Amino acid sequence: RKEREKREKERKRKEREEKKAREKAQQQRQLEFWSEQEILNLRAGVGIYGEESWREIMSNYSFKPGRTKEHLEDKWYNLQQREQLERQAREKERREQREHQKLVEQRRREEREELLRQASKKKEEEKKKESESDVEDTSEEE
């Protein structure tokens, strides 16, 4: 009988521990995702208190229960990294657009120059024909 009670106590203790572990894991999963409001609060807090005042930010802005100053610091670092990557991507895209625009403008200049060369050549040929025609006309008149 004592052995049975002991096993029952042990089983209940394990169940409680498992339940706590499940609840903790669920809380951790919930903490993985930051709401827009939390991100806005973090940005506002850093704007007012600075990057190293995580405790001040936590006490003056609302975040999900269970968030720690380390969570805030990690999120801020990740936000900064993402923004830097986005800035670099935008700068690269702008550079590529400028390069493309330069190539387009260069092609247009080359096409205009070619058209001018062709027009000039055509005029020269017409002048040459005219002068040949004038020479023929003067020789016929003689």
Side-chain angles (χ1 to χ4, degrees):
R1 179 183 157 115
K2 282 187 178 183
E3 189 63 36
R4 197 174 345 150
E5 287 175 5
K6 189 177 179 182
R7 281 194 305 257
E8 186 64 22
K9 274 185 179 179
E10 183 64 24
R11 186 183 61 76
K12 286 182 180 182
R13 185 186 63 75
K14 283 184 180 180
E15 284 178 0
R16 281 193 306 272
E17 285 177 1
E18 289 172 357
K19 184 179 178 184
K20 279 183 185 179
R22 281 192 306 272
E23 288 171 353
K24 186 175 181 179
Q26 183 179 5
Q27 185 181 24
Q28 283 299 111
R29 279 193 301 276
Q30 289 173 347
L31 289 177
E32 287 177 11
F33 299 101
W34 285 67
S35 69
E36 275 302 310
Q37 189 59 51
E38 284 183 298
I39 292 171
L40 292 173
N41 290 345
L42 179 59
R43 289 180 191 281
V46 169
I48 292 173
Y49 299 106
E51 289 187 10
E52 297 303 316
S53 304
W54 308 116
R55 196 167 270 128
E56 281 288 317
I57 295 168
M58 284 189 67
S59 64
N60 290 296
Y61 292 89
S62 64
F63 296 95
K64 287 179 185 174
R67 290 262 189 246
T68 64
K69 61 186 180 93
E70 288 79 15
H71 288 132
L72 271 61
E73 186 176 6
D74 289 346
K75 184 62 175 180
W76 181 252
Y77 174 78
N78 291 335
L79 287 171
Q80 296 302 102
Q81 290 295 103
R82 186 175 74 197
E83 288 172 0
Q84 183 180 8
L85 291 173
E86 288 171 352
R87 253 191 321 275
Q88 290 171 347
R90 284 192 304 271
E91 288 170 5
K92 181 181 177 188
E93 186 176 342
R94 281 194 292 265
R95 273 195 312 274
E96 289 172 350
Q97 287 173 345
R98 283 193 301 268
E99 288 299 316
H100 176 73
Q101 190 62 35
K102 284 180 184 177
L103 289 173
V104 168
E105 289 171 4
Q106 183 179 354
R107 280 193 207 118
R108 287 180 183 157
R109 272 194 307 277
E110 290 170 355
E111 288 171 358
R112 278 194 302 271
E113 289 171 0
E114 181 61 28
L115 288 172
L116 288 172
R117 274 196 297 277
Q118 289 174 358
S120 176
K121 187 176 178 181
K122 190 174 181 180
K123 269 188 176 180
E124 285 178 22
E125 288 174 357
E126 287 174 357
K127 279 184 182 179
K128 187 177 178 182
K129 282 184 183 178
E130 269 183 38
S131 67
E132 286 175 358
S133 168
D134 285 347
V135 168
E136 285 178 10
D137 287 346
T138 53
S139 61
E140 283 179 9
E141 287 178 5
E142 290 177 5

